[in-house]
Amino acid sequence: MSLRLRVRCPAKFNPFLAVGPPDASGYHPIRTVFQAVSLFDELRVAEGVRDSLACSWDGLPADNTITKALRLCRELAPIPPLSITLDKQIPAQSGLGGGSSDAAGLLRALECLYPGLLGERDRWEIAHAVGADVPFFLVGGRARGEGYGERLRPMEDAPAQWLVVARPEGGVSTAEAYRALDSVDRRWAKFEDAERGWANDFERVMPAASAELADRLRAAGAHPAVLCGSGSAVAAGASSRQDAERIRAEISAPDVRAWAVHTLTRAESLAMLRDETA
């Protein structure tokens, strides 16, 4: 019998995101709060005769966060060929962390398949090497992030909140968003500023389509509303599941994808399903 894993890889949004000026390395330190939400990609991982990666989204590049994470893991440990299938539901270039969550999902799957093969420090360093948001998805739930996103402090689970996450037709390149933000004068907000409500520095340079979508969400009764990461998706609060479903239906359009989601606890965001196969 062999073990096959189904790993749910949640999206995230940042109710608070403040971006500092680039440092000597050219990277931007941040102060942020991450929150996992119930929009998922799903990885199915099992040992195979040879490595394979199939994806429901035909836009997945051959060199992606999953293949990079696996390649780095194999530099440290003998991992056999894997058969991996990715059911992609989190859209790319949305600020929802889908690719980062997928990489973390693979790291969590490898720990389950081969306990102790990679140390916790190894997994953490690999996660950070793959992408700035990947370490958060090893923590899950709700967390405060500093540095480049890798300095994380888990926060207590908050009561579940319903949200509407909506994405306009166009995506946003993270690198381009940072370049645009560097052209704007701004104060580097502190964590104390998060107490005033949701805020994201990238809203200063967000696309018009994202700003219009945020206005539509507010007009439909969703509040507060905030850009997700560097965009282009927007997250907005709802009073209940029924309210979220109503708003989702109201704003959905040929050029807008929308989901009614809720915040996840740490345990919910790290859950995996295991199937024994012959």
Side-chain angles (χ1 to χ4, degrees), residues 28-67:
H28 296 75
I30 64 171
R31 297 176 180 133
T32 190
V33 174
F34 295 100
Q35 172 63 64
V37 298
S38 62
L39 173 62
F40 300 96
D41 288 347
E42 184 178 273
L43 277 177
R44 293 188 290 277
V45 183
E47 287 190 3
V49 176
R50 65 183 65 85
D51 278 337
S52 64
L53 173 57
C55 183
S56 62
W57 175 51
D58 59 11
L60 185 72
D63 186 20
N64 54 70
T65 58
I66 296 171
T67 59

PDB file of all heavy atoms in Angstrom, residues 28-67:
ATOM      1  N   HIS A  28      12.232  45.008  -0.819  1.00  0.00           N
ATOM      2  CA  HIS A  28      11.405  45.867   0.024  1.00  0.00           C
ATOM      3  C   HIS A  28      11.002  45.141   1.306  1.00  0.00           C
ATOM      4  O   HIS A  28      10.318  44.115   1.238  1.00  0.00           O
ATOM      5  CB  HIS A  28      10.121  46.265  -0.718  1.00  0.00           C
ATOM      6  CG  HIS A  28      10.344  47.084  -1.945  1.00  0.00           C
ATOM      7  ND1 HIS A  28      10.819  46.547  -3.116  1.00  0.00           N
ATOM      8  CD2 HIS A  28      10.131  48.413  -2.187  1.00  0.00           C
ATOM      9  CE1 HIS A  28      10.894  47.499  -4.032  1.00  0.00           C
ATOM     10  NE2 HIS A  28      10.496  48.635  -3.493  1.00  0.00           N
ATOM     11  N   PRO A  29      11.378  45.657   2.464  1.00  0.00           N
ATOM     12  CA  PRO A  29      10.848  45.093   3.701  1.00  0.00           C
ATOM     13  C   PRO A  29       9.371  45.464   3.835  1.00  0.00           C
ATOM     14  O   PRO A  29       8.923  46.487   3.292  1.00  0.00           O
ATOM     15  CB  PRO A  29      11.693  45.754   4.794  1.00  0.00           C
ATOM     16  CG  PRO A  29      12.127  47.053   4.181  1.00  0.00           C
ATOM     17  CD  PRO A  29      12.288  46.795   2.710  1.00  0.00           C
ATOM     18  N   ILE A  30       8.629  44.633   4.530  1.00  0.00           N
ATOM     19  CA  ILE A  30       7.199  44.885   4.682  1.00  0.00           C
ATOM     20  C   ILE A  30       6.782  44.729   6.132  1.00  0.00           C
ATOM     21  O   ILE A  30       7.496  44.131   6.946  1.00  0.00           O
ATOM     22  CB  ILE A  30       6.347  43.938   3.807  1.00  0.00           C
ATOM     23  CG1 ILE A  30       6.540  42.473   4.253  1.00  0.00           C
ATOM     24  CG2 ILE A  30       6.661  44.113   2.339  1.00  0.00           C
ATOM     25  CD1 ILE A  30       5.573  41.504   3.601  1.00  0.00           C
ATOM     26  N   ARG A  31       5.630  45.263   6.446  1.00  0.00           N
ATOM     27  CA  ARG A  31       4.900  44.976   7.682  1.00  0.00           C
ATOM     28  C   ARG A  31       3.498  44.575   7.237  1.00  0.00           C
ATOM     29  O   ARG A  31       2.834  45.349   6.533  1.00  0.00           O
ATOM     30  CB  ARG A  31       4.847  46.202   8.594  1.00  0.00           C
ATOM     31  CG  ARG A  31       6.214  46.676   9.069  1.00  0.00           C
ATOM     32  CD  ARG A  31       6.132  47.946   9.896  1.00  0.00           C
ATOM     33  NE  ARG A  31       7.470  48.374  10.325  1.00  0.00           N
ATOM     34  CZ  ARG A  31       7.915  49.626  10.228  1.00  0.00           C
ATOM     35  NH1 ARG A  31       7.120  50.572   9.714  1.00  0.00           N
ATOM     36  NH2 ARG A  31       9.135  49.927  10.631  1.00  0.00           N
ATOM     37  N   THR A  32       3.077  43.396   7.624  1.00  0.00           N
ATOM     38  CA  THR A  32       1.809  42.920   7.092  1.00  0.00           C
ATOM     39  C   THR A  32       1.119  41.973   8.058  1.00  0.00           C
ATOM     40  O   THR A  32       1.744  41.407   8.973  1.00  0.00           O
ATOM     41  CB  THR A  32       2.010  42.218   5.737  1.00  0.00           C
ATOM     42  OG1 THR A  32       0.746  41.970   5.115  1.00  0.00           O
ATOM     43  CG2 THR A  32       2.747  40.886   5.898  1.00  0.00           C
ATOM     44  N   VAL A  33      -0.166  41.800   7.836  1.00  0.00           N
ATOM     45  CA  VAL A  33      -0.949  40.747   8.483  1.00  0.00           C
ATOM     46  C   VAL A  33      -1.489  39.858   7.380  1.00  0.00           C
ATOM     47  O   VAL A  33      -2.116  40.347   6.428  1.00  0.00           O
ATOM     48  CB  VAL A  33      -2.103  41.325   9.327  1.00  0.00           C
ATOM     49  CG1 VAL A  33      -2.981  40.193   9.875  1.00  0.00           C
ATOM     50  CG2 VAL A  33      -1.555  42.187  10.466  1.00  0.00           C
ATOM     51  N   PHE A  34      -1.194  38.568   7.487  1.00  0.00           N
ATOM     52  CA  PHE A  34      -1.719  37.573   6.558  1.00  0.00           C
ATOM     53  C   PHE A  34      -2.951  36.913   7.160  1.00  0.00           C
ATOM     54  O   PHE A  34      -2.994  36.665   8.368  1.00  0.00           O
ATOM     55  CB  PHE A  34      -0.691  36.454   6.311  1.00  0.00           C
ATOM     56  CG  PHE A  34       0.574  36.856   5.620  1.00  0.00           C
ATOM     57  CD1 PHE A  34       1.737  37.083   6.345  1.00  0.00           C
ATOM     58  CD2 PHE A  34       0.627  36.944   4.236  1.00  0.00           C
ATOM     59  CE1 PHE A  34       2.924  37.403   5.721  1.00  0.00           C
ATOM     60  CE2 PHE A  34       1.818  37.262   3.596  1.00  0.00           C
ATOM     61  CZ  PHE A  34       2.970  37.501   4.332  1.00  0.00           C
ATOM     62  N   GLN A  35      -3.908  36.572   6.311  1.00  0.00           N
ATOM     63  CA  GLN A  35      -5.065  35.792   6.745  1.00  0.00           C
ATOM     64  C   GLN A  35      -5.432  34.798   5.654  1.00  0.00           C
ATOM     65  O   GLN A  35      -5.685  35.183   4.506  1.00  0.00           O
ATOM     66  CB  GLN A  35      -6.259  36.695   7.044  1.00  0.00           C
ATOM     67  CG  GLN A  35      -7.555  35.956   7.327  1.00  0.00           C
ATOM     68  CD  GLN A  35      -7.491  35.083   8.577  1.00  0.00           C
ATOM     69  OE1 GLN A  35      -7.324  35.615   9.677  1.00  0.00           O
ATOM     70  NE2 GLN A  35      -7.635  33.779   8.427  1.00  0.00           N
ATOM     71  N   ALA A  36      -5.446  33.513   5.998  1.00  0.00           N
ATOM     72  CA  ALA A  36      -5.847  32.479   5.046  1.00  0.00           C
ATOM     73  C   ALA A  36      -7.361  32.481   4.880  1.00  0.00           C
ATOM     74  O   ALA A  36      -8.111  32.703   5.840  1.00  0.00           O
ATOM     75  CB  ALA A  36      -5.379  31.108   5.527  1.00  0.00           C
ATOM     76  N   VAL A  37      -7.819  32.211   3.639  1.00  0.00           N
ATOM     77  CA  VAL A  37      -9.253  32.196   3.340  1.00  0.00           C
ATOM     78  C   VAL A  37      -9.599  30.938   2.538  1.00  0.00           C
ATOM     79  O   VAL A  37      -8.739  30.276   1.975  1.00  0.00           O
ATOM     80  CB  VAL A  37      -9.690  33.454   2.567  1.00  0.00           C
ATOM     81  CG1 VAL A  37      -9.447  34.713   3.393  1.00  0.00           C
ATOM     82  CG2 VAL A  37      -8.977  33.551   1.219  1.00  0.00           C
ATOM     83  N   SER A  38     -10.905  30.662   2.467  1.00  0.00           N
ATOM     84  CA  SER A  38     -11.387  29.386   1.946  1.00  0.00           C
ATOM     85  C   SER A  38     -11.582  29.350   0.424  1.00  0.00           C
ATOM     86  O   SER A  38     -12.603  28.876  -0.080  1.00  0.00           O
ATOM     87  CB  SER A  38     -12.710  29.004   2.633  1.00  0.00           C
ATOM     88  OG  SER A  38     -13.706  29.981   2.349  1.00  0.00           O
ATOM     89  N   LEU A  39     -10.607  29.837  -0.286  1.00  0.00           N
ATOM     90  CA  LEU A  39     -10.493  29.623  -1.732  1.00  0.00           C
ATOM     91  C   LEU A  39      -9.245  28.779  -1.911  1.00  0.00           C
ATOM     92  O   LEU A  39      -8.165  29.182  -1.451  1.00  0.00           O
ATOM     93  CB  LEU A  39     -10.379  30.957  -2.465  1.00  0.00           C
ATOM     94  CG  LEU A  39     -10.094  30.894  -3.976  1.00  0.00           C
ATOM     95  CD1 LEU A  39     -11.217  30.193  -4.715  1.00  0.00           C
ATOM     96  CD2 LEU A  39      -9.881  32.299  -4.529  1.00  0.00           C
ATOM     97  N   PHE A  40      -9.364  27.604  -2.547  1.00  0.00           N
ATOM     98  CA  PHE A  40      -8.280  26.632  -2.515  1.00  0.00           C
ATOM     99  C   PHE A  40      -7.841  26.176  -3.900  1.00  0.00           C
ATOM    100  O   PHE A  40      -8.673  25.940  -4.782  1.00  0.00           O
ATOM    101  CB  PHE A  40      -8.716  25.357  -1.772  1.00  0.00           C
ATOM    102  CG  PHE A  40      -9.117  25.555  -0.348  1.00  0.00           C
ATOM    103  CD1 PHE A  40     -10.453  25.699  -0.010  1.00  0.00           C
ATOM    104  CD2 PHE A  40      -8.166  25.575   0.662  1.00  0.00           C
ATOM    105  CE1 PHE A  40     -10.838  25.861   1.316  1.00  0.00           C
ATOM    106  CE2 PHE A  40      -8.542  25.734   1.987  1.00  0.00           C
ATOM    107  CZ  PHE A  40      -9.879  25.881   2.320  1.00  0.00           C
ATOM    108  N   ASP A  41      -6.540  26.017  -4.068  1.00  0.00           N
ATOM    109  CA  ASP A  41      -5.996  25.069  -5.027  1.00  0.00           C
ATOM    110  C   ASP A  41      -5.932  23.723  -4.307  1.00  0.00           C
ATOM    111  O   ASP A  41      -5.961  23.663  -3.070  1.00  0.00           O
ATOM    112  CB  ASP A  41      -4.573  25.457  -5.457  1.00  0.00           C
ATOM    113  CG  ASP A  41      -4.537  26.691  -6.359  1.00  0.00           C
ATOM    114  OD1 ASP A  41      -5.615  27.100  -6.849  1.00  0.00           O
ATOM    115  OD2 ASP A  41      -3.438  27.231  -6.562  1.00  0.00           O
ATOM    116  N   GLU A  42      -5.837  22.636  -5.081  1.00  0.00           N
ATOM    117  CA  GLU A  42      -5.670  21.329  -4.447  1.00  0.00           C
ATOM    118  C   GLU A  42      -4.555  20.552  -5.134  1.00  0.00           C
ATOM    119  O   GLU A  42      -4.570  20.408  -6.361  1.00  0.00           O
ATOM    120  CB  GLU A  42      -6.958  20.509  -4.483  1.00  0.00           C
ATOM    121  CG  GLU A  42      -6.816  19.179  -3.743  1.00  0.00           C
ATOM    122  CD  GLU A  42      -8.099  18.367  -3.716  1.00  0.00           C
ATOM    123  OE1 GLU A  42      -8.916  18.591  -2.795  1.00  0.00           O
ATOM    124  OE2 GLU A  42      -8.286  17.515  -4.604  1.00  0.00           O
ATOM    125  N   LEU A  43      -3.611  20.076  -4.330  1.00  0.00           N
ATOM    126  CA  LEU A  43      -2.532  19.218  -4.810  1.00  0.00           C
ATOM    127  C   LEU A  43      -2.858  17.768  -4.472  1.00  0.00           C
ATOM    128  O   LEU A  43      -3.301  17.471  -3.357  1.00  0.00           O
ATOM    129  CB  LEU A  43      -1.208  19.575  -4.124  1.00  0.00           C
ATOM    130  CG  LEU A  43      -0.354  20.725  -4.656  1.00  0.00           C
ATOM    131  CD1 LEU A  43       0.850  20.898  -3.746  1.00  0.00           C
ATOM    132  CD2 LEU A  43       0.089  20.473  -6.077  1.00  0.00           C
ATOM    133  N   ARG A  44      -2.624  16.882  -5.415  1.00  0.00           N
ATOM    134  CA  ARG A  44      -2.670  15.449  -5.148  1.00  0.00           C
ATOM    135  C   ARG A  44      -1.266  14.907  -5.409  1.00  0.00           C
ATOM    136  O   ARG A  44      -0.732  15.070  -6.523  1.00  0.00           O
ATOM    137  CB  ARG A  44      -3.726  14.760  -6.011  1.00  0.00           C
ATOM    138  CG  ARG A  44      -5.129  15.191  -5.647  1.00  0.00           C
ATOM    139  CD  ARG A  44      -6.196  14.391  -6.360  1.00  0.00           C
ATOM    140  NE  ARG A  44      -6.247  14.678  -7.779  1.00  0.00           N
ATOM    141  CZ  ARG A  44      -6.889  15.711  -8.320  1.00  0.00           C
ATOM    142  NH1 ARG A  44      -7.526  16.570  -7.534  1.00  0.00           N
ATOM    143  NH2 ARG A  44      -6.902  15.897  -9.628  1.00  0.00           N
ATOM    144  N   VAL A  45      -0.681  14.302  -4.401  1.00  0.00           N
ATOM    145  CA  VAL A  45       0.722  13.899  -4.445  1.00  0.00           C
ATOM    146  C   VAL A  45       0.847  12.429  -4.077  1.00  0.00           C
ATOM    147  O   VAL A  45       0.286  11.988  -3.065  1.00  0.00           O
ATOM    148  CB  VAL A  45       1.576  14.744  -3.470  1.00  0.00           C
ATOM    149  CG1 VAL A  45       3.055  14.375  -3.585  1.00  0.00           C
ATOM    150  CG2 VAL A  45       1.377  16.238  -3.719  1.00  0.00           C
ATOM    151  N   ALA A  46       1.589  11.678  -4.892  1.00  0.00           N
ATOM    152  CA  ALA A  46       1.860  10.272  -4.612  1.00  0.00           C
ATOM    153  C   ALA A  46       3.178   9.895  -5.271  1.00  0.00           C
ATOM    154  O   ALA A  46       3.636  10.570  -6.200  1.00  0.00           O
ATOM    155  CB  ALA A  46       0.733   9.380  -5.131  1.00  0.00           C
ATOM    156  N   GLU A  47       3.799   8.818  -4.799  1.00  0.00           N
ATOM    157  CA  GLU A  47       4.986   8.318  -5.469  1.00  0.00           C
ATOM    158  C   GLU A  47       4.614   7.810  -6.859  1.00  0.00           C
ATOM    159  O   GLU A  47       3.544   7.236  -7.061  1.00  0.00           O
ATOM    160  CB  GLU A  47       5.644   7.206  -4.658  1.00  0.00           C
ATOM    161  CG  GLU A  47       6.343   7.720  -3.419  1.00  0.00           C
ATOM    162  CD  GLU A  47       7.199   6.649  -2.759  1.00  0.00           C
ATOM    163  OE1 GLU A  47       7.293   5.528  -3.300  1.00  0.00           O
ATOM    164  OE2 GLU A  47       7.773   6.939  -1.686  1.00  0.00           O
ATOM    165  N   GLY A  48       5.511   8.034  -7.828  1.00  0.00           N
ATOM    166  CA  GLY A  48       5.251   7.626  -9.209  1.00  0.00           C
ATOM    167  C   GLY A  48       6.450   6.925  -9.807  1.00  0.00           C
ATOM    168  O   GLY A  48       7.521   6.834  -9.193  1.00  0.00           O
ATOM    169  N   VAL A  49       6.276   6.447 -11.019  1.00  0.00           N
ATOM    170  CA  VAL A  49       7.373   5.811 -11.737  1.00  0.00           C
ATOM    171  C   VAL A  49       8.380   6.864 -12.177  1.00  0.00           C
ATOM    172  O   VAL A  49       9.592   6.639 -12.192  1.00  0.00           O
ATOM    173  CB  VAL A  49       6.838   5.027 -12.949  1.00  0.00           C
ATOM    174  CG1 VAL A  49       7.971   4.424 -13.766  1.00  0.00           C
ATOM    175  CG2 VAL A  49       5.857   3.948 -12.500  1.00  0.00           C
ATOM    176  N   ARG A  50       7.869   8.031 -12.535  1.00  0.00           N
ATOM    177  CA  ARG A  50       8.697   9.170 -12.924  1.00  0.00           C
ATOM    178  C   ARG A  50       7.991  10.440 -12.468  1.00  0.00           C
ATOM    179  O   ARG A  50       6.785  10.426 -12.190  1.00  0.00           O
ATOM    180  CB  ARG A  50       8.918   9.188 -14.434  1.00  0.00           C
ATOM    181  CG  ARG A  50       7.648   9.403 -15.242  1.00  0.00           C
ATOM    182  CD  ARG A  50       7.893   9.341 -16.733  1.00  0.00           C
ATOM    183  NE  ARG A  50       8.321   8.014 -17.146  1.00  0.00           N
ATOM    184  CZ  ARG A  50       7.471   7.017 -17.417  1.00  0.00           C
ATOM    185  NH1 ARG A  50       6.149   7.197 -17.284  1.00  0.00           N
ATOM    186  NH2 ARG A  50       7.924   5.847 -17.787  1.00  0.00           N
ATOM    187  N   ASP A  51       8.738  11.528 -12.398  1.00  0.00           N
ATOM    188  CA  ASP A  51       8.125  12.799 -12.023  1.00  0.00           C
ATOM    189  C   ASP A  51       7.091  13.216 -13.058  1.00  0.00           C
ATOM    190  O   ASP A  51       7.339  13.141 -14.276  1.00  0.00           O
ATOM    191  CB  ASP A  51       9.184  13.906 -11.923  1.00  0.00           C
ATOM    192  CG  ASP A  51       9.914  13.904 -10.594  1.00  0.00           C
ATOM    193  OD1 ASP A  51       9.362  13.384  -9.613  1.00  0.00           O
ATOM    194  OD2 ASP A  51      11.039  14.422 -10.543  1.00  0.00           O
ATOM    195  N   SER A  52       5.944  13.682 -12.574  1.00  0.00           N
ATOM    196  CA  SER A  52       4.938  14.240 -13.476  1.00  0.00           C
ATOM    197  C   SER A  52       4.165  15.313 -12.725  1.00  0.00           C
ATOM    198  O   SER A  52       3.966  15.219 -11.513  1.00  0.00           O
ATOM    199  CB  SER A  52       3.978  13.163 -13.984  1.00  0.00           C
ATOM    200  OG  SER A  52       3.234  12.601 -12.915  1.00  0.00           O
ATOM    201  N   LEU A  53       3.775  16.333 -13.461  1.00  0.00           N
ATOM    202  CA  LEU A  53       2.961  17.410 -12.902  1.00  0.00           C
ATOM    203  C   LEU A  53       1.891  17.766 -13.912  1.00  0.00           C
ATOM    204  O   LEU A  53       2.196  18.280 -14.992  1.00  0.00           O
ATOM    205  CB  LEU A  53       3.822  18.637 -12.572  1.00  0.00           C
ATOM    206  CG  LEU A  53       3.069  19.907 -12.136  1.00  0.00           C
ATOM    207  CD1 LEU A  53       2.193  19.641 -10.920  1.00  0.00           C
ATOM    208  CD2 LEU A  53       4.056  21.042 -11.850  1.00  0.00           C
ATOM    209  N   ALA A  54       0.646  17.476 -13.575  1.00  0.00           N
ATOM    210  CA  ALA A  54      -0.498  17.830 -14.411  1.00  0.00           C
ATOM    211  C   ALA A  54      -1.280  18.930 -13.716  1.00  0.00           C
ATOM    212  O   ALA A  54      -1.402  18.945 -12.490  1.00  0.00           O
ATOM    213  CB  ALA A  54      -1.393  16.607 -14.637  1.00  0.00           C
ATOM    214  N   CYS A  55      -1.793  19.864 -14.502  1.00  0.00           N
ATOM    215  CA  CYS A  55      -2.493  21.010 -13.925  1.00  0.00           C
ATOM    216  C   CYS A  55      -3.762  21.299 -14.711  1.00  0.00           C
ATOM    217  O   CYS A  55      -3.776  21.217 -15.941  1.00  0.00           O
ATOM    218  CB  CYS A  55      -1.580  22.239 -13.926  1.00  0.00           C
ATOM    219  SG  CYS A  55      -2.315  23.710 -13.159  1.00  0.00           S
ATOM    220  N   SER A  56      -4.808  21.664 -13.992  1.00  0.00           N
ATOM    221  CA  SER A  56      -6.075  21.999 -14.635  1.00  0.00           C
ATOM    222  C   SER A  56      -6.018  23.337 -15.353  1.00  0.00           C
ATOM    223  O   SER A  56      -6.904  23.651 -16.153  1.00  0.00           O
ATOM    224  CB  SER A  56      -7.191  22.035 -13.584  1.00  0.00           C
ATOM    225  OG  SER A  56      -6.926  23.045 -12.609  1.00  0.00           O
ATOM    226  N   TRP A  57      -4.993  24.141 -15.070  1.00  0.00           N
ATOM    227  CA  TRP A  57      -4.809  25.471 -15.692  1.00  0.00           C
ATOM    228  C   TRP A  57      -3.687  25.363 -16.717  1.00  0.00           C
ATOM    229  O   TRP A  57      -2.556  25.033 -16.372  1.00  0.00           O
ATOM    230  CB  TRP A  57      -4.472  26.499 -14.625  1.00  0.00           C
ATOM    231  CG  TRP A  57      -4.150  27.867 -15.138  1.00  0.00           C
ATOM    232  CD1 TRP A  57      -4.881  28.610 -16.010  1.00  0.00           C
ATOM    233  CD2 TRP A  57      -3.009  28.677 -14.786  1.00  0.00           C
ATOM    234  NE1 TRP A  57      -4.263  29.819 -16.232  1.00  0.00           N
ATOM    235  CE2 TRP A  57      -3.128  29.883 -15.494  1.00  0.00           C
ATOM    236  CE3 TRP A  57      -1.917  28.482 -13.948  1.00  0.00           C
ATOM    237  CZ2 TRP A  57      -2.178  30.901 -15.379  1.00  0.00           C
ATOM    238  CZ3 TRP A  57      -0.972  29.494 -13.831  1.00  0.00           C
ATOM    239  CH2 TRP A  57      -1.108  30.688 -14.540  1.00  0.00           C
ATOM    240  N   ASP A  58      -3.992  25.657 -17.961  1.00  0.00           N
ATOM    241  CA  ASP A  58      -2.977  25.487 -19.009  1.00  0.00           C
ATOM    242  C   ASP A  58      -1.941  26.604 -19.022  1.00  0.00           C
ATOM    243  O   ASP A  58      -0.988  26.567 -19.799  1.00  0.00           O
ATOM    244  CB  ASP A  58      -3.619  25.344 -20.391  1.00  0.00           C
ATOM    245  CG  ASP A  58      -4.476  26.544 -20.788  1.00  0.00           C
ATOM    246  OD1 ASP A  58      -4.413  27.586 -20.105  1.00  0.00           O
ATOM    247  OD2 ASP A  58      -5.220  26.440 -21.782  1.00  0.00           O
ATOM    248  N   GLY A  59      -2.088  27.595 -18.141  1.00  0.00           N
ATOM    249  CA  GLY A  59      -1.112  28.679 -18.075  1.00  0.00           C
ATOM    250  C   GLY A  59       0.030  28.427 -17.111  1.00  0.00           C
ATOM    251  O   GLY A  59       0.913  29.282 -16.976  1.00  0.00           O
ATOM    252  N   LEU A  60       0.041  27.280 -16.439  1.00  0.00           N
ATOM    253  CA  LEU A  60       1.117  27.006 -15.488  1.00  0.00           C
ATOM    254  C   LEU A  60       2.431  26.842 -16.234  1.00  0.00           C
ATOM    255  O   LEU A  60       2.564  25.965 -17.092  1.00  0.00           O
ATOM    256  CB  LEU A  60       0.815  25.735 -14.690  1.00  0.00           C
ATOM    257  CG  LEU A  60       1.814  25.409 -13.566  1.00  0.00           C
ATOM    258  CD1 LEU A  60       1.628  26.386 -12.408  1.00  0.00           C
ATOM    259  CD2 LEU A  60       1.649  23.971 -13.096  1.00  0.00           C
ATOM    260  N   PRO A  61       3.449  27.664 -15.928  1.00  0.00           N
ATOM    261  CA  PRO A  61       4.739  27.520 -16.634  1.00  0.00           C
ATOM    262  C   PRO A  61       5.444  26.238 -16.232  1.00  0.00           C
ATOM    263  O   PRO A  61       5.214  25.695 -15.144  1.00  0.00           O
ATOM    264  CB  PRO A  61       5.524  28.761 -16.191  1.00  0.00           C
ATOM    265  CG  PRO A  61       4.909  29.167 -14.898  1.00  0.00           C
ATOM    266  CD  PRO A  61       3.465  28.791 -14.973  1.00  0.00           C
ATOM    267  N   ALA A  62       6.322  25.755 -17.095  1.00  0.00           N
ATOM    268  CA  ALA A  62       7.053  24.525 -16.801  1.00  0.00           C
ATOM    269  C   ALA A  62       7.915  24.692 -15.552  1.00  0.00           C
ATOM    270  O   ALA A  62       8.048  23.754 -14.749  1.00  0.00           O
ATOM    271  CB  ALA A  62       7.911  24.134 -18.001  1.00  0.00           C
ATOM    272  N   ASP A  63       8.518  25.854 -15.382  1.00  0.00           N
ATOM    273  CA  ASP A  63       9.295  26.166 -14.184  1.00  0.00           C
ATOM    274  C   ASP A  63       8.408  26.991 -13.268  1.00  0.00           C
ATOM    275  O   ASP A  63       8.142  28.165 -13.531  1.00  0.00           O
ATOM    276  CB  ASP A  63      10.570  26.927 -14.553  1.00  0.00           C
ATOM    277  CG  ASP A  63      11.483  27.141 -13.358  1.00  0.00           C
ATOM    278  OD1 ASP A  63      11.333  26.401 -12.359  1.00  0.00           O
ATOM    279  OD2 ASP A  63      12.343  28.038 -13.416  1.00  0.00           O
ATOM    280  N   ASN A  64       7.919  26.395 -12.203  1.00  0.00           N
ATOM    281  CA  ASN A  64       6.936  27.044 -11.340  1.00  0.00           C
ATOM    282  C   ASN A  64       7.310  26.838  -9.877  1.00  0.00           C
ATOM    283  O   ASN A  64       8.345  26.241  -9.559  1.00  0.00           O
ATOM    284  CB  ASN A  64       5.536  26.490 -11.637  1.00  0.00           C
ATOM    285  CG  ASN A  64       5.504  24.970 -11.543  1.00  0.00           C
ATOM    286  OD1 ASN A  64       5.603  24.407 -10.463  1.00  0.00           O
ATOM    287  ND2 ASN A  64       5.397  24.304 -12.700  1.00  0.00           N
ATOM    288  N   THR A  65       6.492  27.327  -8.992  1.00  0.00           N
ATOM    289  CA  THR A  65       6.832  27.259  -7.566  1.00  0.00           C
ATOM    290  C   THR A  65       6.899  25.818  -7.065  1.00  0.00           C
ATOM    291  O   THR A  65       7.700  25.504  -6.170  1.00  0.00           O
ATOM    292  CB  THR A  65       5.815  28.043  -6.727  1.00  0.00           C
ATOM    293  OG1 THR A  65       4.498  27.524  -6.960  1.00  0.00           O
ATOM    294  CG2 THR A  65       5.848  29.528  -7.069  1.00  0.00           C
ATOM    295  N   ILE A  66       6.090  24.933  -7.624  1.00  0.00           N
ATOM    296  CA  ILE A  66       6.105  23.534  -7.191  1.00  0.00           C
ATOM    297  C   ILE A  66       7.392  22.852  -7.631  1.00  0.00           C
ATOM    298  O   ILE A  66       8.070  22.185  -6.836  1.00  0.00           O
ATOM    299  CB  ILE A  66       4.878  22.791  -7.752  1.00  0.00           C
ATOM    300  CG1 ILE A  66       3.591  23.387  -7.181  1.00  0.00           C
ATOM    301  CG2 ILE A  66       4.953  21.298  -7.440  1.00  0.00           C
ATOM    302  CD1 ILE A  66       2.323  22.864  -7.852  1.00  0.00           C
ATOM    303  N   THR A  67       7.751  23.022  -8.906  1.00  0.00           N
ATOM    304  CA  THR A  67       8.976  22.385  -9.391  1.00  0.00           C
ATOM    305  C   THR A  67      10.214  22.979  -8.716  1.00  0.00           C
ATOM    306  O   THR A  67      11.182  22.264  -8.445  1.00  0.00           O
ATOM    307  CB  THR A  67       9.090  22.522 -10.920  1.00  0.00           C
ATOM    308  OG1 THR A  67       9.085  23.907 -11.288  1.00  0.00           O
ATOM    309  CG2 THR A  67       7.930  21.818 -11.618  1.00  0.00           C
TER     310      THR A  67
END
